[in-house]
Amino acid sequence: MLLQQIINGLTLGAVYALIALGYTMVYGILQLINFAHGEVYMLGAYLGIIILGFLTSIGLTAISLPLSISITLVLSMLFCAAYGMTIERIAYKPLRNAPRLSPLISAIGVSIFLQNFVMLSQGATDKVFPPILKAEGLSILNARITFLQIFIIIASILMMAGLHLFIMKTRLGKAMRATAQDRKMAVLLGIDIDRVISITFIIGSGLAAAAGVMVAMYYGLVNYFIGYVAGIKAFTAAVIGGIGSIPGAMLGGILLGLLEAFGAGYISSEYKDVFAFGLLIIILILRPEGLLGKQFGERSK
Amino acid sequence: MKRTILLILFSLFTIHYLLFTDIGCAKKEDVIKIGTAGPFTGDQARIGNDMKNGVELAVSEWNAKGGVLGKKIVLLSEDDRHDPKEAVAVANKLVSLDVVGVIGHLNSSCTKPASRIYNEKSVPMITPASTNPEITKQGYNNVFRTCGRDDQQGTELSKFVVDVLKKKKIAILNDKTTYGQGLAEEFKKSANNKIEVVVSEGVTQGDQDFKPVLTKIKSANPEVIFFGGMHTEGGLIIKQAKELGIKAPVIGGDGLYGSTFLEVAGPAAEGAYMAFFTPTAETEVGRNFVKSYTAKYGEIETYAPYAYDATNILLKAIAESKTTDGKKLIDAIRKMKYEGAVGTIEYDENGDIKKAGYTIYTVKDKKFITYDKVK
């Protein structure tokens, strides 16, 4: 049972972590909580269903399932990256110098807009993923892990490792870190911060889309409302890990997933959400900057 | 400049508003408004709209015959998104719009708080789908239903588990709603000491991941898993139980019945059991209903015939008592004997139907069939 719960928790946590990264990156650079981020994840899930449905109809999934899943993943990430960039251009960029509350309200507006947009264009009922994936898997010590779960865990870890390398090793990553530290100084040093911000949204939205596609495949079900709960959970993960900190978001996501699995398995699933948000409260009281967050003094904007 | 534009816009809106309210006032006496409320968007939208279509069909048939009391019938439908808070707001809205009667709501958790609001204004309400026993026990005389009660289906389910399946070790899950929790309670109560409950847990409606709790259930090794809840969660639970290698069959109430369940659970749905209303003997009304419903809206999902009958009962009560007065309508409905699409409907003093039958269904080859047909 222990091993099984770890598998359950890791799968859930990997997805939370992927979404949390988008929150934390945007916060790190703009000090903005992008409430529309959960909706980008939802768009990713829908795109996954649509693209995979299309590939099934032309017969590609029957020939090569891994290939069609990769195509779905990549296309949906590209689409959502475009969505993320557009959202930033339309809803946040004009408000860059406005009081901090204005972009926050704008974010909530975008979130409501996207929910209703999907509801009206895709219908208000649940969409079911094409049943092409069988529930096959491996049994280890009385615990079962499906191939899809293995895929989700490995793909998430690869993506997170890739992101870490990107931030730490590339020029653009350095520019992102610089912008996060001090935006004004970054501009003075000749960093094109508009580009950095765009890239941030592109990467964050791409990761959310990947999470969306994987969740849609895993549960086989999406509706226009899934972005809300997932968004709140991922945001919690980001805060627990320390908002603004990229390793923090990964740690927070995994921790939250494991906590939910263990809480529901060993105590009671009636209080599943209580464990998640209870931990959030404890962290906020004892260590407000989050587990891996840095303590900042008065932040220069 | 900006100010002038704002002023013009504002006055335009005001004029518009006045114009519309005026039209509204003028029309008020010429139509009879009835309301319907249920989950028309979200994960239960399909069964919600199925119910709404049933109501719409009845209304359009009456309107084609010239309405009721010589007036046209207008249907106001409101979405409660199966949220109790929303249901109260929607009920208040319908009451303030002077509806004569209400068909709905769908979910017990919504019907219960909403019924109080309709009761205050003596607006008769007939729910085609809320099965929680408490709903008709609140002492409100305006509450009726065309479906059965959870204590009836709970008894049927526990009899099935004990006598037919001959299983003893049961894990019970519920979705913490009025319906799901109530059904799980009724099941446990009617099974009495004949079963041994190894795990009893609640899950959250809208959640998609049930593997942690199912892992717990797996280690308790039950022979049957009982789920009190709706099709989306039920479908996911069955699917994830299979993925974890749980072999115990899942059994549930009428909430599991419907095409969404089959779609969500996929192949895992085969062999699941659920109680649903007994298929009624073929009646003239029933045959006509099926014909016109499928022509207009496609396949019948679940509650459409119950909603259709409920609407007809309300409109017949208006036509026969020649009034729109709520109190008189309530009396008329209580005394009515109605031959509908689902059979003969007569009410007892609580507003429950006198004859309510449940039958156990199972899933075979992606279809719901009654269990006795399997043998």
Side-chain angles (χ1 to χ4, degrees):
Chain A
M1 181 162 158
L2 179 72
L3 185 63
Q4 185 72 59
Q5 295 294 18
I6 292 175
I7 294 170
N8 298 338
L10 271 183
T11 320
L12 205 59
V15 171
Y16 287 157
L18 278 184
I19 313 172
L21 281 169
Y23 277 107
T24 221
M25 283 165 63
V26 168
Y27 187 86
I29 288 185
L30 285 177
Q31 284 82 53
L32 161 74
I33 296 162
N34 179 13
F35 275 116
H37 192 61
E39 264 52 65
V40 175
Y41 152 86
M42 180 263 298
L43 283 171
Y46 266 96
L47 283 165
I49 283 202
I50 293 167
I51 296 167
L52 204 58
F54 174 73
L55 293 180
T56 312
S57 75
I58 61 168
L60 188 66
T61 43
I63 302 164
S64 167
L65 194 58
L67 178 68
S68 38
I69 289 177
S70 320
I71 293 176
T72 310
L73 213 53
V74 170
L75 277 182
S76 149
M77 282 171 80
L78 285 176
F79 265 109
C80 282
Y83 264 109
M85 200 173 85
T86 319
I87 291 170
E88 195 268 331
R89 284 280 158 81
I90 294 173
Y92 306 142
K93 203 176 167 195
L95 297 170
R96 187 118 1 121
N97 295 314
R100 271 174 73 173
L101 219 49
S102 312
L104 200 70
I105 294 166
S106 180
I108 295 171
V110 172
S111 157
I112 296 171
F113 169 79
L114 287 176
Q115 268 184 24
N116 285 283
F117 165 65
V118 171
M119 187 185 98
L120 291 173
S121 58
Q122 295 294 323
T125 47
D126 285 334
K127 278 244 176 323
V128 177
F129 220 71
I132 45 166
L133 303 155
K134 296 200 181 67
E136 284 162 8
L138 308 169
S139 289
I140 326 156
L141 299 171
N142 209 14
R144 275 183 65 82
I145 180 164
T146 61
F147 290 129
L148 198 57
Q149 279 177 307
I150 300 174
F151 172 71
I152 291 177
I153 294 170
I154 290 177
S156 310
I157 291 172
L158 283 181
M159 274 186 248
M160 287 190 256
L163 178 70
H164 189 73
L165 285 179
F166 174 78
I167 301 274
M168 286 308 177
K169 301 283 179 205
T170 63
R171 246 178 104 74
L172 210 55
K174 206 183 234 172
M176 280 173 81
R177 278 183 289 147
T179 315
Q181 261 177 23
D182 192 330
R183 207 197 303 168
K184 228 177 239 166
M185 194 62 201
V187 177
L188 289 175
L189 289 173
I191 292 172
D192 182 356
I193 62 159
D194 279 343
R195 190 157 155 251
V196 169
I197 292 168
S198 276
I199 299 274
T200 309
F201 272 88
I202 287 173
I203 296 174
S205 305
L207 293 176
V213 174
M214 293 193 297
V215 162
M217 285 195 292
Y218 185 41
Y219 299 126
L221 182 77
V222 298
N223 59 53
Y224 69 96
F225 206 60
I226 54 167
Y228 176 73
V229 179
I232 292 219
K233 288 272 173 70
F235 177 61
T236 308
V239 174
I240 287 173
I243 192 145
S245 150
I246 288 172
M250 301 177 192
L251 179 74
I254 303 279
L255 212 61
L256 196 67
L258 286 174
L259 183 80
E260 281 194 0
F262 281 115
Y266 288 101
I267 304 172
S268 170
S269 81
E270 288 191 43
Y271 299 105
K272 194 173 161 198
D273 291 346
V274 175
F275 301 121
F277 299 122
L279 177 69
L280 178 67
I281 294 172
I282 293 171
I283 293 274
L284 285 178
I285 292 171
L286 297 180
R287 206 180 145 79
E289 68 275 18
L291 291 176
L292 297 183
K294 288 192 196 76
Q295 217 159 9
F296 287 106
E298 190 61 31
R299 191 165 192 146
S300 56
K301 231 183 102 183
Chain B
M1 185 59 198
K2 231 177 183 173
R3 254 200 154 149
T4 339
I5 295 173
L6 272 178
L7 207 68
I8 294 172
L9 273 178
F10 180 73
S11 22
L12 271 177
F13 274 126
T14 327
I15 293 167
H16 244 97
Y17 183 74
L18 287 176
L19 274 175
F20 276 116
T21 19
D22 218 341
I23 293 167
C25 285
K27 267 188 173 173
K28 200 171 171 181
E29 298 307 312
D30 297 323
V31 298
I32 285 183
K33 292 187 220 165
I34 67 167
T36 182
F40 302 143
T41 61
D43 57 339
Q44 293 178 18
R46 208 181 273 171
I47 55 172
N49 284 310
D50 183 61
M51 170 186 126
K52 189 167 90 177
N53 292 342
V55 179
E56 258 172 25
L57 183 65
V59 169
S60 66
E61 283 175 7
W62 278 79
N63 275 337
K65 284 184 286 181
V68 65
L69 305 182
K71 292 175 192 167
K72 201 171 158 267
I73 305 153
V74 173
L75 176 66
L76 307 171
S77 53
E78 291 290 336
D79 181 13
D80 68 17
R81 306 201 301 248
H82 69 82
D83 177 350
K85 294 189 291 293
E86 201 65 31
V88 171
V90 160
N92 275 316
K93 186 173 171 192
L94 286 174
V95 165
S96 72
L97 291 169
D98 293 321
V99 291
V100 175
V102 174
I103 310 301
H105 299 203
L106 192 148
N107 309 80
S108 296
S109 49
C110 293
T111 304
K112 213 172 158 189
S115 62
R116 192 174 62 89
I117 288 150
Y118 301 128
N119 181 262
E120 277 166 10
K121 294 279 182 313
S122 287
V123 175
M125 59 161 286
I126 311 175
T127 167
S130 297
T131 45
N132 188 276
E134 299 292 318
I135 285 166
T136 45
K137 278 187 197 156
Q138 302 176 95
Y140 297 157
N141 68 343
N142 65 321
V143 182
F144 300 92
R145 53 180 145 205
T146 47
C147 54
R149 288 192 316 265
D150 287 339
D151 50 336
Q152 294 162 338
Q153 62 171 320
T155 313
E156 205 61 51
L157 284 164
S158 65
K159 258 200 276 177
F160 179 72
V161 170
V162 174
D163 299 339
V164 182
L165 295 179
K166 299 203 175 10
K167 304 286 185 201
K168 211 168 147 55
K169 276 171 78 178
I170 319 273
I172 297 181
L173 277 175
N174 75 72
D175 67 355
K176 294 193 283 185
T177 63
T178 309
Y179 164 71
Q181 207 166 2
L183 180 62
E185 289 296 323
E186 294 296 343
F187 172 77
K188 215 187 306 186
K189 209 161 72 188
S190 60
N192 219 345
N193 316 325
K194 294 190 198 106
I195 57 165
E196 182 198 344
V197 179
V198 286
V199 181
S200 182
E201 274 279 12
V203 296
T204 310
Q205 205 176 30
D207 207 346
Q208 292 194 321
D209 191 76
F210 303 105
K211 280 200 173 165
V213 69
L214 287 168
T215 305
K216 186 177 176 181
I217 287 177
K218 191 188 175 190
S219 60
N221 204 13
E223 294 171 308
V224 175
I225 300 171
F226 181 89
F227 177 61
M230 299 301 291
H231 43 54
T232 308
E233 288 79 18
L236 287 169
I237 283 174
I238 289 190
K239 198 170 136 191
Q240 291 171 16
K242 280 271 153 67
E243 282 175 13
L244 287 172
I246 296 174
K247 295 203 175 61
V250 174
I251 182 165
D254 61 327
L256 294 190
Y257 193 95
S259 58
T260 312
F261 175 76
L262 299 179
E263 276 179 19
V264 174
E270 300 289 312
Y273 304 106
M274 63 283 302
F276 196 67
F277 312 123
T278 308
T280 44
E282 289 259 302
T283 60
E284 182 72 36
V285 190
R287 270 194 298 271
N288 286 338
F289 166 76
V290 173
K291 214 163 51 190
S292 29
Y293 187 95
T294 42
K296 208 166 171 185
Y297 307 103
E299 203 75 357
I300 295 171
E301 182 82 17
T302 40
Y303 304 113
Y306 298 86
Y308 177 78
D309 279 354
T311 317
N312 278 324
I313 289 170
L314 177 67
L315 293 173
K316 200 175 162 211
I318 298 172
E320 280 177 358
S321 56
K322 295 192 175 50
T323 174
T324 54
D325 179 65
K327 289 199 179 84
K328 285 180 190 144
L329 286 180
I330 291 166
D331 287 338
I333 294 171
R334 181 146 289 134
K335 284 188 204 119
M336 193 178 296
K337 184 174 180 188
Y338 178 75
E339 302 286 341
V342 298
T344 311
I345 292 177
E346 276 182 285
Y347 284 106
D348 65 9
E349 64 279 9
N350 293 325
D352 286 321
I353 50 173
K354 281 187 182 162
K355 237 180 14 199
Y358 280 95
T359 302
I360 303 294
Y361 288 72
T362 183
V363 179
K364 203 180 172 196
D365 301 326
K366 294 179 190 162
K367 276 200 185 76
F368 293 103
I369 51 167
T370 54
Y371 180 72
D372 50 21
K373 281 203 187 124
V374 181
K375 285 181 286 183

